[in-house]
């Protein structure tokens, strides 16, 4: 069926592909994974992500609950099987529980959420689990109480975030992943402690290379601690057993003898996994962004607000995905950093 989109100013170039039940880009990659940001607000100001004087999107531009649900319905009809709810800090979105309930009822195969853990408690975790959430990822960049405030520029205690990690694990929102962005001279002396933490708490610890997505625009290649360096440092103190990673895995994963914990390395800078990227991002204001590092993006908000047909919405996303760029080359000379930041786009 030929679908002509209504006249919209902010639209991706039309693609030679008519929407059907799968999403492919022009480089042959099939897209299965949607990262949906539900807010650009956050109660932290992590040094590698946000600045204290952040300018948020105007409230009226943020999508409604029904609009987020519509996006997920459309995405699922296009073959999306994984949904990660993110932000900003998604627990600040007042209708988070309703959203989890609704998208779980639509039948998403893998439903996950990323949070800084600061507002998380047992009641909340149980409600999410009962509403159909499968997994939670918590961000935690230091195990030293004295460093927590300096990195997050907030006053939540480390003890509370660790309690939140144990809570989501105990409630069964598993496997629990814990993300740490490793910055040279800030927390790189803790990589072995993170390995020990993964063992002790039986979680999947993921050490992430610092990417050029910080609002302060201070990213510099010399601040990046490579996955290779992290691995070498950890292997001086721990025995690691390599796991067989799936082809779409963004992390290189290891386990430990005698523990259910695991550790993974996300080498987005030094060994970018663009060739295997199966992700699409939609921002809290309805902007569709096929690649984290390319400023090519188009807003579907007006289509949603004008109650465009499902076919028109499907074709919009199909066209946007077709235009997904091949990769970013963050480790190459000539790399131009994107304008938007991680908290704005959705991590
Ligand atoms: N606020 C939630 C949190 O922190 O988990 C969800 C949103 S946050 C943008 C998602 C993930 O992006 C976090 O795990 C964070 O560590 C990561 N992130 C943010 N800025 C980054 C950067 N410059 N480089 C690498 N990872 C980054
Ligand atoms: Fe907030 Fe998450 Fe960014 Fe930290 S990483 S400032 S918690 S959005």
């Amino acid at each position: 069926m030929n679908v002509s989109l209504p006249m919209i100013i902010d639209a991706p170039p039309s693609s030679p592909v008519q929407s059907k039940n799968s999403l492919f880009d022009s480089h042959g990659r099939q897209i299965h994974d949607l990262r949906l940001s539900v807010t650009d607000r956050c109660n932290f100001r992590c040094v590698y992500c946000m600045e204290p004087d952040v300018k948020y999107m105007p409230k009226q531009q943020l999508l409604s609950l029904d609009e987020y649900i519509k996006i997920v319905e459309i995405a699922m009809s296009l073959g999306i099987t994984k949904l990660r709810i993110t932000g900003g800090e998604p627990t600040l979105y007042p209708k988070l529980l309703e959203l989890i309930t609704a998208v779980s009822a639509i039948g998403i195969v893998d439903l996950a959420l990323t949070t800084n853990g600061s507002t998380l408690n047992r009641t909340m975790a149980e409600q999410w689990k009962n509403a159909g959430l499968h997994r939670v990822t918590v961000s935690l960049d230091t195990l030293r109480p004295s460093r927590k405030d300096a990195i997050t520029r907030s006053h939540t205690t480390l003890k509370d975030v660790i309690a939140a990690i144990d809570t989501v694990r105990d409630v069964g929102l598993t496997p629990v992943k814990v993300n740490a962005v490793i910055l040279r001279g800030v927390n790189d002396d803790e990589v072995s402690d993170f390995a020990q933490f993964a063992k002790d708490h039986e979680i999947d610890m993921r050490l992430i290379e610092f990417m050029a997505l910080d609002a302060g625009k201070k990213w510099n290649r010399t601040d990046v601690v490579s996955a290779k360096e992290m691995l070498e440092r950890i292997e001086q103190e721990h025995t690691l057993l390599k796991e067989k990673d799936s082809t779409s895995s963004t992390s290189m994963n290891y386990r430990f003898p005698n523990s259910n914990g695991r550790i993974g390395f996300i080498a987005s800078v030094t060994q970018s996994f663009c060739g295997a990227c199966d992700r699409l991002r939609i921002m809290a204001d309805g902007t569709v962004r096929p690649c984290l590092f390319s400023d090519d993006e188009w807003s579907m908000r007006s289509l949603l607000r004008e109650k465009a047909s499902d076919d028109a919405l499907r074709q919009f996303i199909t066209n946007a995905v077709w235009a997904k760029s091949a990769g970013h080359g963050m480790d190459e000379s000539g790399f131009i950093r994107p304008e938007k930041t991680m908290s704005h786009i959705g991590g």
Side-chain angles (χ1 to χ4, degrees):
M1 181 185 16
N2 264 339
V3 180
S4 56
L5 290 173
M7 269 301 288
I8 38 176
I9 299 160
D10 189 15
S14 50
S15 73
V17 186
Q18 285 304 310
S19 68
K20 39 183 192 267
N21 54 6
S22 54
L23 278 174
F24 279 91
D25 70 14
S26 63
H27 309 282
R29 295 170 297 192
Q30 185 170 3
I31 307 305
H32 298 105
D33 181 343
L34 173 62
R35 309 242 147 168
L36 179 65
S37 171
V38 292
T39 181
D40 63 336
R41 274 72 174 156
C42 190
N43 56 339
F44 281 13
R45 295 287 181 272
C46 301
V47 289
Y48 53 78
C49 183
M50 276 176 131
E51 283 300 289
D53 60 347
V54 59
K55 195 160 177 278
Y56 290 137
M57 298 175 195
K59 271 205 170 127
Q60 63 277 18
Q61 285 183 12
L62 303 181
L63 299 189
S64 67
L65 175 65
D66 287 346
E67 288 165 340
Y68 290 130
I69 296 170
K70 173 56 85 180
I71 285 177
V72 177
E73 278 170 359
I74 295 293
M76 275 189 68
S77 75
L78 290 166
I80 293 287
T81 53
K82 289 167 79 173
L83 175 70
R84 180 170 293 278
I85 301 172
T86 184
E89 175 47 38
T91 58
L92 300 185
Y93 174 53
K95 298 198 171 158
L96 180 61
L97 187 58
E98 286 104 309
L99 180 64
I100 293 171
T101 307
V103 297
S104 157
I106 307 170
I108 199 94
V109 178
D110 182 5
L111 179 56
L113 174 112
T114 308
T115 173
N116 62 29
S118 62
T119 64
L120 215 161
N121 57 40
R122 189 164 188 107
T123 308
M124 198 186 264
E126 282 172 350
Q127 284 175 336
W128 292 346
K129 176 79 182 165
N130 293 337
L133 187 70
H134 300 135
R135 305 185 285 123
V136 170
T137 296
V138 181
S139 298
L140 178 63
D141 306 298
T142 181
L143 297 168
R144 306 211 184 150
S146 58
R147 283 186 180 166
K148 177 97 175 81
D149 287 7
I151 294 178
T152 63
R153 297 188 284 212
S154 76
H155 297 296
T156 29
T157 67
L158 181 62
K159 205 165 89 296
D160 290 342
V161 178
I162 294 177
I165 291 168
D166 290 339
T167 297
V168 287
R169 183 203 55 212
D170 295 346
V171 162
L173 290 162
T174 50
V176 178
K177 293 183 178 167
V178 176
N179 284 351
V181 179
I182 305 301
L183 306 171
R184 191 170 303 284
V186 175
N187 59 355
D188 59 325
D189 53 349
E190 293 189 56
V191 289
S192 283
D193 299 347
F194 282 124
Q196 189 63 45
F197 183 79
K199 278 174 159 172
D200 294 345
H201 291 258
E202 304 202 322
I203 49 91
D204 286 11
M205 190 74 225
R206 300 184 330 156
L207 305 184
I208 305 175
E209 291 179 355
F210 176 31
M211 295 184 273
L213 289 164
D214 56 313
K217 298 202 184 323
K218 296 191 185 96
W219 182 86
N220 193 305
R221 180 63 182 81
T222 53
D223 299 328
V224 178
V225 183
S226 71
K228 182 169 174 287
E229 182 180 337
M230 295 184 215
L231 177 64
E232 283 167 2
R233 287 206 206 174
I234 293 173
E235 282 185 321
Q236 287 170 11
E237 293 183 34
H238 298 270
T239 303
L240 298 181
L241 306 169
K242 181 80 187 78
E243 294 216 313
K244 193 167 169 6
D245 300 320
S246 72
T247 46
S248 64
S249 175
T250 54
S251 52
M252 298 174 283
N253 299 302
Y254 294 78
R255 59 191 172 81
F256 307 96
N258 310 321
S259 164
N260 290 327
R262 300 196 312 160
I263 189 150
F265 301 89
I266 305 191
S268 336
V269 179
T270 60
Q271 298 174 56
S272 85
F273 36 80
C274 300
C277 179
D278 68 345
R279 292 182 185 166
L280 171 68
R281 287 183 158 81
I282 301 188
M283 292 156 51
D285 64 350
T287 302
V288 180
R289 187 163 170 121
C291 171
L292 197 48
F293 289 94
S294 163
D295 284 322
D296 289 341
E297 56 177 39
W298 304 276
S299 173
M300 63 191 293
R301 189 177 61 245
S302 54
L303 275 188
L304 287 162
R305 301 232 155 131
E306 287 158 16
K307 304 274 180 273
S309 69
D310 287 2
D311 283 335
L313 294 170
R314 266 194 282 273
Q315 191 61 48
F316 186 100
I317 294 179
T318 300
N319 291 352
V321 164
W322 186 257
K324 183 174 166 79
S325 63
H328 57 70
M330 223 183 322
D331 212 14
E332 290 161 18
S333 63
F335 166 71
I336 300 171
R337 56 171 297 148
E339 267 311 304
K340 289 198 176 148
T341 64
M342 193 68 136
S343 67
H344 196 162
I345 301 167

